[in-house]
Amino acid sequence: MTHRSLLTIVLRIAGIFLFTKIFDHFGSYIFSIWSISAMDILDKTVEAMDRFYFSNLFLLVVNILVSFILIIKAEWIAKKLVKTEESISIDLNVKSLTKVILLTTSIIWIARSIYLLPQAIEFFYSFINTIFDNWKSSASDFKIMPYLLRFVLAIVFILRIDKITNWITKKI
C-alpha cells in the first residue's frame, strides 16, 4: 500500500462519514425545506426562523456536495496532495502499536470535540447568562467536564506521545 492509496481510502471514508452526518440533523433539514417552500405563509411571522433554516438548507447542500466530491474525486485529490508513490512500511512492535492507539484515540476525541463545539458554545453562553444577566434562565444539559477532559487529554497525548509511549512500554 502506498501513501497515495491510503489517503484515497481515508478521503472516501471521510466523504461517507460526512454524508451520514446529514441524518443526524435530518429533522431540521426537512423543516428547512418545508419553511422555504411555505415562505409566503411564514414571511411575516417567522423571519428569524426562516433565516436559520435557510442556512441549514444551505449547509445541507454544501454537506452533500463536499461528501460527493470526497467520495468521487478522492483519487484526484490524493494525487494532488501526495506527489511521490512510496510504499508504506510499518514495523509492528509494542511501541508503534501504542502510538497508533494513542493517536487514533486522540484524533477521534478532537474530531468529536470539534463536532460538539456548537453545544459547548451554547453551554458557555447559557452559563454566562445564568451568572451575570438572568438568574432564571436555564443552563443546557451539555456535559462540559467530559468534553474538556477529552479535549485536553487528546492534546496532551498528541504533544507528549513519545514520553507516554515510553512510560507505557516500561510498564509492560
Side-chain angles (χ1 to χ4, degrees):
M1 178 175 273
T2 63
H3 291 288
R4 189 178 293 167
S5 60
L6 179 63
L7 183 61
T8 303
I9 291 169
V10 168
L11 287 174
R12 285 197 174 121
I13 290 172
I16 292 169
F17 181 71
L18 187 62
F19 184 74
T20 59
K21 282 297 167 189
I22 295 168
F23 302 108
D24 288 348
H25 307 289
F26 193 69
S28 64
Y29 291 142
I30 291 298
F31 189 70
S32 65
I33 293 170
W34 174 79
S35 67
I36 298 286
S37 64
M39 200 171 290
D40 290 335
I41 299 168
L42 297 174
D43 193 25
K44 295 180 181 176
T45 57
V46 221
E47 286 181 21
M49 191 165 40
D50 245 357
R51 284 187 297 228
F52 173 72
Y53 286 113
F54 182 74
S55 65
N56 272 347
L57 182 64
F58 175 72
L59 289 176
L60 170 71
V61 170
V62 169
N63 193 351
I64 291 172
L65 288 176
V66 169
S67 64
F68 282 150
I69 288 171
L70 284 177
I71 292 169
I72 295 169
K73 295 289 188 176
E75 193 170 324
W76 179 79
I77 296 169
K79 282 182 184 176
K80 294 292 181 186
L81 292 175
V82 179
K83 300 293 182 192
T84 60
E85 273 294 319
E86 295 177 15
S87 64
I88 299 172
S89 62
I90 298 174
D91 221 9
L92 187 60
N93 55 28
V94 175
K95 200 172 203 176
S96 65
L97 186 61
T98 305
K99 281 185 179 182
V100 167
I101 292 170
L102 286 174
L103 283 175
T104 305
T105 305
S106 301
I107 290 170
I108 290 171
W109 283 352
I110 287 176
R112 189 165 189 260
S113 297
I114 292 170
Y115 181 71
L116 293 176
L117 186 63
Q119 285 91 358
I121 291 171
E122 180 183 339
F123 172 80
F124 284 121
Y125 179 74
S126 64
F127 182 72
I128 290 170
N129 271 344
T130 56
I131 290 176
F132 294 115
D133 293 337
N134 188 1
W135 288 96
K136 294 179 183 177
S137 71
S138 62
S140 67
D141 60 347
F142 182 71
K143 294 177 177 74
I144 195 68
M145 288 311 290
Y147 174 82
L148 291 175
L149 183 66
R150 284 183 185 143
F151 183 73
V152 170
L153 279 176
I155 298 297
V156 168
F157 285 170
I158 289 173
L159 294 178
R160 299 292 182 179
I161 188 76
D162 289 328
K163 288 184 179 184
I164 294 171
T165 304
N166 289 337
W167 181 78
I168 290 173
T169 55
K170 277 185 189 176
K171 300 292 181 183
I172 295 178

